[in-house]
Amino acid sequence: MKKALLISAGRQVSKELIEKYPDRFIIVADGGARLLMKYDLGADILLGDLDSIGEEALDYIKEHKIEVKKFPAKKDFTDTELALSYLVDEGYKDIVILGALGTRLDHELANLLNLKKLYKKGISAKIEDDYNEVIYVEEGSYDFVRTNKKYFSLINAGDRMNFTTKGLYYEVEDLEINSENPSRGVSNEMVGDSATIKINQGSAFIIQSRD
């Protein structure tokens, strides 16, 4: 299976988190290049309109002979979505996205919805930083093991969602989340070394987080 690591221009992550995903094709969305420069890292390709990269980071990209695909500033997609489209076209089936969360709420929400788009294409994808890890899921059973992100939240991604948990502090059976109780699935916690969340109906964002 072809695996990729996408570095976007949002909140920067630690070098340790990047090193958690070795031996992947590395693609950078525009200003994400600043993270490469910060840690003296390489990449396979950089995509974007180059409006947020900065001259110093762009010089770094050129010096390290990283391929650049430049797009017009006036475009229909964010740089992150352009990078994801490139990966989809190239047949990548496992994508980890770093730097997709941060101060720009509009970009953050768009990036979360990109997880849904990738899921529909049969691609395993997640957004991660040093405090959060997010996946989009539909009906099915999902297993988790303990990490430093001990909190679990389920955010309804449709009209209504029904789920069951095992191995979390608040174990629920066929709990429905809808517009009347949108925060009902927020801030659960793993009690052992593993847990299972079953989506019985609907879809959700599962968020693992730490303080």
Side-chain angles (χ1 to χ4, degrees):
M1 179 188 295
K2 297 177 72 174
K3 299 181 179 182
L5 180 68
L6 167 57
I7 300 176
S8 293
R11 182 168 56 235
Q12 293 190 341
V13 301
S14 66
K15 187 177 182 181
E16 289 74 20
L17 182 56
I18 298 172
E19 292 174 340
K20 179 181 171 182
Y21 298 102
D23 305 320
R24 286 175 177 254
F25 180 87
I26 300 178
I27 185 170
V28 182
D30 207 331
R34 292 191 296 274
L35 195 62
L36 297 183
M37 185 174 63
K38 179 179 180 179
Y39 299 133
D40 192 23
L41 299 173
D44 295 288
I45 189 171
L46 180 143
L47 278 75
D49 55 21
L50 308 186
D51 68 338
S52 61
I53 186 173
E55 291 186 10
E56 189 177 2
L58 185 57
D59 288 341
Y60 179 90
I61 294 296
K62 293 176 180 177
E63 289 169 6
H64 287 74
K65 296 180 172 56
I66 296 170
E67 181 183 356
V68 176
K69 290 181 71 69
K70 184 177 180 181
F71 291 81
K74 293 183 178 180
K75 58 188 188 303
D76 296 327
F77 306 99
T78 65
D79 293 323
T80 297
E81 190 166 3
L82 286 173
L84 289 172
S85 294
Y86 175 90
L87 293 175
V88 170
D89 291 343
E90 292 296 315
Y92 287 89
K93 295 295 185 181
D94 185 316
I95 303 173
V96 175
I97 308 168
L98 307 181
L101 306 174
T103 58
R104 285 288 301 269
L105 182 58
D106 52 350
H107 282 266
E108 199 167 58
L109 289 173
N111 290 335
L112 290 173
L113 292 175
N114 276 326
L115 291 179
K116 180 177 181 178
K117 178 180 176 180
L118 293 169
Y119 180 96
K120 297 292 187 182
K121 293 179 180 293
I123 296 170
S124 173
K126 66 178 177 179
I127 291 174
E128 187 171 3
D129 66 10
D130 291 287
Y131 295 90
N132 304 279
E133 184 173 328
V134 190
I135 61 173
Y136 170 85
V137 295
E138 294 186 357
E139 293 178 13
S141 185
Y142 301 87
D143 297 320
F144 301 89
V145 296
R146 177 175 289 279
T147 69
N148 67 332
K149 301 179 177 74
K150 65 178 183 177
Y151 297 109
F152 279 77
S153 295
L154 277 80
I155 306 298
N156 180 27
D159 292 331
R160 61 183 62 218
M161 182 265 296
N162 180 291
F163 71 102
T164 297
T165 66
K166 183 177 181 181
L168 296 182
Y169 183 81
Y170 298 103
E171 289 201 344
V172 300
E173 184 78 26
D174 296 323
L175 177 64
E176 181 174 297
I177 304 293
N178 54 46
S179 60
E180 298 299 319
N181 62 346
S183 63
R184 183 68 170 82
V186 171
S187 201
N188 211 330
E189 187 174 344
M190 188 180 289
V191 293
D193 292 327
S194 63
T196 299
I197 297 175
K198 183 181 179 184
I199 307 299
N200 303 310
Q201 181 183 4
S203 60
F205 292 105
I206 297 180
I207 304 172
Q208 295 174 254
S209 59
R210 69 179 181 91
D211 291 326

